[in-house]
Amino acid sequence: MGRAFEYRKASKLKRWGAMSKLFPKLGKIITMAAKEGSNDPDMNSKLRTAIINAKAENMPKDNIEAAIKRASAKDTASMLEVNFEGKAPHGVLIFIECMTDNNTRTVANVKNILSKHGGELLTNGSLEFMFDRKALIEFSLKDGMDLEELELELIDAGLEEIEAEDGVCLVTSDYTSFGTLTEALESMDIEITKANLERMANVPVSITEAQQVDIDKILEKLEDDEDVQKVFTNLS
């Protein structure tokens, strides 16, 4: 299997952590999606995708509905999506995606975590060229579904790679094709179970187990922060 499958497997175990951290983070994504467009998932593809991902993580229906309602609340008016780029020990690069209502607080927290663990915050734009942005969409294979046939039908929608394992199919495309690819799948009555935008390192690096312990400390602290949504590294 390719790198995309490895990203998918790792993310389920490592990215979100415990449910107490998971649901608030997913809720923020839903709220922002509803705030940017309609609060009707049928009219707002970004919100629809956010809800699909929340359901995939067993987020309760009441939590999802509450997150949608928060989109019209006054305290969400200043909510922003911001990115940070950092350097950790052992040649590890870190790309951090955040959602915050207080950018000053978020900058300070991210900078503090990195500096306390031998890392540093870099100027935004320093690492953009080191990562490829990819759309990863997951769904269950239907009985009798032909993978080669499906691949041919999805190429015009931006498909780059299609893989299947244990009845689960994962399709990959450039991030700019996220919308067209999800629409193509939906038009084929394929139920998407998960859809994400990922950043994949162009030149992944390998480190020792001892060095990994140092990096895990930074990643855990970052993922514990309420404003941090996703953390990507150049680790292989």
Side-chain angles (χ1 to χ4, degrees):
M1 289 291 132
R3 278 198 298 153
F5 251 95
E6 296 308 314
Y7 270 72
R8 178 179 65 81
K9 288 176 183 176
S11 68
K12 287 192 175 182
L13 295 174
K14 294 174 71 176
R15 176 151 299 145
W16 294 110
M19 289 298 178
S20 59
K21 306 170 194 171
L22 169 61
F23 292 160
K25 290 176 186 285
L26 291 172
K28 276 188 179 181
I29 295 172
I30 292 171
T31 299
M32 281 296 289
K35 177 188 167 189
E36 292 173 11
S38 168
N39 61 3
D40 180 356
D42 293 331
M43 303 293 291
N44 184 341
S45 60
K46 189 172 182 180
L47 176 59
R48 188 162 64 249
T49 300
I51 292 172
I52 286 170
N53 289 335
K55 287 181 176 178
E57 300 293 350
N58 298 313
M59 186 172 179
K61 183 180 178 182
D62 289 348
N63 293 44
I64 293 173
E65 291 176 351
I68 294 173
K69 287 179 182 177
R70 277 198 298 274
S72 57
K74 290 181 181 179
D75 60 358
T76 66
S78 59
M79 192 74 74
L80 299 169
E81 293 179 79
V82 293
N83 298 329
F84 299 100
E85 297 165 37
K87 185 179 179 182
H90 317 305
V92 176
L93 304 176
I94 303 178
F95 200 104
I96 307 152
E97 294 183 354
C98 300
M99 201 172 289
T100 180
D101 58 357
N102 186 329
N103 192 49
T104 302
R105 176 193 68 219
T106 308
V107 172
N109 288 350
V110 170
K111 187 175 182 179
N112 185 50
I113 291 169
L114 290 172
S115 61
K116 274 191 173 181
H117 295 84
E120 62 178 306
L121 196 62
L122 302 176
T123 304
N124 273 10
S126 302
L127 304 182
E128 280 284 356
F129 70 99
M130 301 289 288
F131 292 84
D132 286 331
R133 287 196 79 191
K134 297 292 182 182
L136 272 63
I137 303 171
E138 181 184 295
F139 56 90
S140 297
L141 285 172
K142 293 181 179 179
D143 290 339
M145 187 177 283
D146 186 283
L147 215 58
E148 289 185 7
E149 208 172 285
L150 186 59
E151 182 176 11
L152 290 173
E153 292 188 40
L154 294 175
I155 284 176
D156 287 342
L159 177 75
E160 290 183 351
E161 188 176 15
I162 184 168
E163 301 174 279
E165 184 180 88
D166 299 329
V168 175
C169 190
L170 184 74
V171 295
T172 308
S173 74
D174 186 77
Y175 79 100
T176 56
S177 299
F178 184 83
T180 55
L181 198 54
T182 53
E183 287 170 11
L185 289 167
E186 288 171 352
S187 71
M188 297 164 67
D189 293 324
I190 292 175
E191 187 176 346
I192 296 169
T193 52
K194 203 161 189 180
N196 284 308
L197 292 175
E198 304 281 343
R199 295 181 189 269
M200 296 183 176
N202 292 324
V203 185
V205 299
S206 298
I207 58 176
T208 66
E209 288 187 17
Q211 292 171 335
Q212 184 68 55
V213 172
D214 295 334
I215 302 305
D216 284 345
K217 288 177 183 177
I218 298 179
L219 298 182
E220 285 169 12
K221 289 294 183 182
L222 286 170
E223 289 167 356
D224 280 345
D225 190 278
E226 63 178 348
D227 296 333
V228 174
Q229 293 294 311
K230 293 183 180 181
V231 181
F232 304 99
T233 74
N234 64 333
L235 290 173
S236 57

